[in-house]
Amino acid sequence: MLGALPVVAAFCSRLRIRELVDAACPVRDVAGLTHGQAIEVLVANRLTSPAPLVHVQEWARAWAVGEAFGVDPELLNDDRIGRALDAIAPHLDHLVGSVGLAAIEAFGIETSRMHWDMTSISLHGDYAQAEEGFARPRYGHPKDRRPDLKQIQAGIAVTGDGAIPVFARAFDGGAGEVSQVVGTMKQLQRLASARRLLMIGDSKLISYGNLAAMDAERVSFIAPASKTYVPAGDLAGLALDQATAVDYTAQRDAGKAADQRSSWHVLEAEEAMTLAGPLKSDPVVSARRVFVHSSARAQAAANARTLKLSRAREDLERLGRGLGSRHYPDAGKVTDRVAVIAKQRRVAAYLRTTIGTDADTGKPTLTWEFDQTAIDAEAATDGWYALLTNLDPEQADAVQALLLYKKQEAVERRYAAFKGPLAVTTLYLKNNRRIAALITVICLALLIFCLVERQVRQALATHGQSKVNGLYAGRPAIPTGNLIFRALATMRIIPGSGTAPPIILQPTPAQINLLDLLGVDPRDLR
């Protein structure tokens, strides 16, 4: 199998991965394999046939790793792979930064706008003896809802230009996302091409310390505010008829008729929000508030409330029928059960109950109702949330601020590739040192995955096109990293023997087209 190996090798060369790794982690001259070669092969493995690391050598034997990378597959045993990961582990920040800069320079990526987010990766194993200096596996709040497993966290920042992940880092499994923002901001400043960086993230971007640091460094930001900073009362009084409609179509609505699509409105707050620091000497920071209304969000909130009220009503009626039974013999047991229902069904804000004891029978009594005033007050906030930004209105008005924030889906899309085509769902490695190194390797693979997608799309655009013929089920399709690598996966090569060179079997028209768009000649083997 040759697959996309020539493409991966060409992009590794443009990013100088082997050169940068070998400069940071040199080996003896007698070594048959450098750390840079091993890391390049691991990147190729992630992109062409992601599988547990114990199968790398078998994969290399079946694939043209020798022809594409000049590496003998027999050298890629488990021990050698582990030693390569150990070697790069102390240099991960340097390697990520250097490769990120190489990508920016080689591919002309615009970096004035960055989108930042973090995700969790579940780990199989105890990892009781974590090595200091590297991200530590801990229990946390996993995105895959596996609280029984320890996790490690990964953060990536993608550019507004092509959603390219030029920065990535592993974090402790229990690290708070809010506390990682300032360090990430400083790393992104080193990569940014503009004097003033725009950083876009989720609500974890917002805290007094983060906003003060961004103001001090002249970094712009856009992020949604949690109810800690913009309480529900500020949203309840907003009027939709006073808001401005936004010409925006969500990706999920792209195929729907215009009258079935979600609608968006924005309303600029008259006054900026101010935040004071914990100390009197701390400077006060301010931010504009852009109130946003989403019809889809409003409908989802109304549906969720109807459902939880219905379920709470069923639970309460069942409780009423069981009053005085062995399960609920007294008022104390009834009180406890009501508290459980209120918490599980999340109706405590509007559940009103009276619990007592019948004087004649001695049985507990219960009357209850849902406070309609409280329900109406919550319903008034349905669909509304607030964006905070320190951009001047001249730089981005309320509509533009929302449209910029909506591009945050780019980083979510890259995490989908991180955990999908690159097969990063759960990990099991010898120690946390190797976990941190492998996450970096996977992020390098993700970088190439995204650069390949961007390169094909840009090349198509120069010809006034947006689709590649025969890319999806024989039909034209907009190129994605996943479709491109799938289309190239069936390329094959006959290995050379003696003086006879290797022979690449005839690629399909779609493969030839993709290779031309990428500027890669598969005959240029190492």
Side-chain angles (χ1 to χ4, degrees):
M1 295 299 300
L2 181 63
L5 291 183
V7 172
V8 178
F11 276 70
C12 283
S13 294
R14 295 184 69 178
L15 296 175
R16 301 170 47 234
I17 291 176
R18 180 183 300 189
E19 176 185 340
L20 291 168
V21 171
D22 286 341
C25 317
V27 297
R28 294 179 298 170
D29 293 338
V30 297
L33 183 69
T34 71
H35 294 313
Q37 289 175 305
I39 296 304
E40 276 192 342
V41 170
L42 283 181
V43 169
N45 171 257
R46 290 290 99 188
L47 286 165
T48 59
S49 184
L53 290 187
V54 293
H55 299 309
V56 170
Q57 190 176 57
E58 296 174 18
W59 161 81
R61 289 171 180 153
W63 286 67
V65 170
E67 289 79 1
F69 291 92
V71 172
D72 182 355
E74 299 308 314
L75 298 176
L76 296 168
N77 55 65
D78 296 349
D79 179 65
R80 186 63 189 85
I81 294 296
R83 284 189 285 119
L85 293 174
D86 287 338
I88 68 169
H91 310 283
L92 297 181
D93 286 345
H94 167 72
L95 291 175
V96 169
S98 298
V99 174
L101 283 172
I104 292 166
E105 294 171 0
F107 294 89
I109 302 169
E110 169 60 42
T111 56
S112 59
R113 186 179 86 239
M114 297 281 199
H115 296 266
W116 164 254
D117 200 5
M118 291 174 60
T119 192
S120 62
I121 303 166
S122 294
L123 305 170
H124 290 290
D126 186 36
Y127 298 101
Q129 302 298 322
E131 187 173 345
E132 293 293 336
F134 303 98
R136 300 172 65 89
R138 296 183 185 277
Y139 292 107
H141 301 283
K143 302 292 191 297
D144 61 0
R145 299 182 180 180
R146 286 296 305 271
D148 57 310
L149 297 177
K150 287 185 178 180
Q151 66 176 19
I152 209 81
Q153 296 187 89
I156 61 172
V158 306
T159 60
D161 175 9
I164 306 301
V166 293
F167 174 78
R169 191 175 185 185
F171 296 95
D172 285 359
E177 292 186 34
V178 171
S179 59
Q180 312 309 320
V181 171
V182 174
T184 299
M185 175 195 73
K186 293 179 179 179
Q187 294 283 352
L188 296 183
Q189 283 181 298
R190 299 187 181 98
L191 297 173
S193 58
R195 291 187 61 189
R196 181 148 190 169
L197 167 71
L198 171 58
M199 192 170 175
I200 300 176
D202 61 15
S203 60
K204 304 299 191 302
L205 199 72
I206 304 299
S207 72
Y208 170 80
N210 291 343
L211 300 196
M214 286 187 274
D215 267 2
E217 295 291 330
R218 295 183 57 78
V219 170
S220 303
F221 66 86
I222 302 175
S226 67
K227 292 181 180 179
T228 302
Y229 300 100
V230 179
D234 291 356
L235 304 175
L238 300 175
L240 187 59
D241 58 1
Q242 296 178 6
T244 302
V246 180
D247 184 13
Y248 171 77
T249 300
Q251 189 173 4
R252 63 177 178 273
D253 293 339
K256 297 180 181 179
D259 60 346
Q260 296 178 335
R261 296 173 184 171
S262 303
S263 62
W264 303 82
H265 293 75
V266 292
L267 183 65
E268 178 94 23
E270 295 181 1
E271 297 181 355
M273 183 190 75
T274 58
L275 288 177
L279 303 177
K280 290 184 178 180
S281 58
D282 289 334
V284 174
V285 297
S286 62
R288 289 169 55 204
R289 290 180 298 171
V290 174
F291 296 113
V292 180
H293 184 272
S294 160
S295 63
R297 191 165 177 160
Q299 187 61 54
N303 291 343
R305 184 169 48 252
T306 299
L307 180 61
K308 68 184 182 182
L309 285 172
S310 175
R311 289 177 173 174
R313 184 176 292 107
E314 292 174 0
D315 290 345
L316 290 165
E317 289 174 349
R318 190 179 301 112
L319 173 60
R321 292 192 296 270
L323 294 176
S325 68
R326 64 186 180 86
H327 296 293
Y328 309 110
D330 53 48
K333 293 293 185 180
V334 175
T335 300
D336 293 343
R337 179 56 185 161
V338 167
V340 170
I341 293 172
K343 181 178 180 179
Q344 289 183 340
R345 302 306 185 190
R346 295 176 290 118
V347 295
Y350 24 78
L351 176 60
R352 306 290 179 259
T353 62
T354 302
I355 301 171
T357 302
D358 188 289
D360 296 329
T361 65
K363 292 182 178 181
T365 60
L366 169 66
T367 58
W368 60 270
E369 64 176 353
F370 293 128
D371 187 337
Q372 192 59 45
T373 300
I375 293 174
D376 292 343
E378 182 181 277
T381 69
D382 286 355
W384 287 102
Y385 63 94
L387 293 177
L388 301 184
T389 182
N390 59 353
L391 287 170
D392 293 330
E394 293 77 16
Q395 295 174 294
D397 61 19
V399 171
Q400 292 167 330
L402 174 62
L403 294 177
L404 285 169
Y405 171 68
K406 281 299 174 184
K407 298 180 186 298
Q408 179 69 2
E409 61 83 25
V411 70
E412 297 165 359
R413 182 159 32 95
R414 294 317 185 196
Y415 274 130
F418 188 80
K419 295 187 175 184
L422 301 185
V424 184
T425 51
T426 56
L427 293 179
Y428 179 80
L429 287 170
K430 183 177 180 180
N431 53 52
N432 62 313
R433 179 189 184 100
R434 292 184 180 181
I435 290 171
L438 180 60
I439 288 175
T440 298
V441 168
I442 295 165
C443 290
L444 293 177
L446 180 64
L447 173 60
I448 292 177
F449 183 88
C450 300
L451 286 171
V452 166
E453 177 184 283
R454 177 179 182 269
Q455 179 97 355
V456 171
R457 292 186 177 188
Q458 285 191 335
L460 285 171
T462 61
H463 298 94
Q465 301 172 356
S466 62
K467 295 183 177 181
V468 174
N469 290 330
L471 186 60
Y472 179 71
R475 301 192 302 271
I478 295 173
T480 64
N482 196 23
L483 289 177
I484 294 168
F485 277 91
R486 283 186 179 183
L488 295 173
T490 58
M491 289 178 60
R492 301 182 72 89
I493 187 172
I494 299 175
S497 59
T499 59
I503 300 173
I504 298 175
L505 300 183
Q506 181 63 38
T508 66
Q511 290 169 343
I512 293 173
N513 190 15
L514 286 171
L515 292 170
D516 287 341
L517 292 169
L518 290 166
V520 174
D521 187 342
R523 296 169 296 182
D524 292 339
L525 301 171
R526 294 184 184 179

